[in-house]
Amino acid sequence: MSEPILLLLSGPNLNLLGQRQPEVYGTDTLDDHVLASTETASSRGLALEHVQSNHEGELVDAVHAARGRCAAIVVNPGAFTHYAWAIHDALAAFEGPVVELHLSNPAAREPWRHTSVVAPVADGTISGFGSMGYRMAVSAAADLLDG
Ligand code: DQA
């Protein structure tokens, strides 16, 4: 039997990690984070798929495509976190665990980052732990799947 799939979703501007505001987001690239996530997922018996997009609709489509096919979702929605209700609605229609992830701690930053429209449809949020957060979020999703 094939391994259950964990979908890692990355929102806008995360393709620039490593170059983008390293003082806030660190020097690891998105590929580095995907590799760490894949290793953690594999150690927990999960296959990892990754989708990055700068376009809200493509992330909505990726969540729809995960329905009935993927076991869990870890999502760093980037700035979409703060206003993208279509991503909220898509995640609400996903049946498995959802873990929201941020490299930085949005609650400690500008006021407009203090609202997450994703948090109400996530099982939980991991934020502020930098690159460690990817391993933590994948482990949290695996723990939720293990029940
Ligand atoms: C982020 C936090 C968001 O506020 C920001 O817009 C991002 C990255 C993070 O990982 O810390 O693009 O999601």
Side-chain angles (χ1 to χ4, degrees):
M1 213 176 69
S2 55
E3 293 175 321
I5 300 168
L6 174 76
L7 177 65
L8 174 64
L9 274 183
S10 300
N13 301 305
L14 298 182
N15 54 310
L16 296 182
L17 287 175
Q19 305 165 38
R20 174 194 182 205
Q21 294 180 276
E23 69 286 2
V24 177
Y25 299 116
T27 52
D28 284 352
T29 65
L30 187 56
D31 281 351
D32 294 331
H33 296 308
V34 173
L35 185 62
S37 302
T38 303
E39 284 172 1
T40 304
S42 169
S43 76
R44 299 295 300 264
L46 299 168
L48 187 129
E49 278 184 18
H50 177 237
V51 173
Q52 189 276 329
S53 179
N54 296 320
H55 304 279
E56 183 177 355
E58 286 183 6
L59 294 169
V60 169
D61 287 344
V63 175
H64 291 182
R67 296 179 71 234
R69 194 179 64 83
C70 297
I73 296 178
V74 171
V75 56
N76 183 344
F80 286 151
T81 303
H82 313 299
Y83 64 94
W85 289 105
I87 293 177
H88 166 111
D89 283 351
L91 290 168
F94 179 73
E95 58 284 350
V98 173
V99 178
E100 179 186 0
L101 167 65
H102 302 284
L103 287 155
S104 67
N105 179 2
R109 299 179 64 195
E110 304 95 314
W112 63 269
R113 294 186 202 271
H114 296 182
T115 297
S116 169
V117 300
V118 170
V121 289
D123 290 272
T125 300
I126 290 173
S127 61
F129 293 101
S131 58
M132 274 190 302
Y134 279 83
R135 289 188 184 278
M136 295 166 79
V138 172
S139 294
D143 284 348
L144 289 170
L145 287 171
D146 287 347

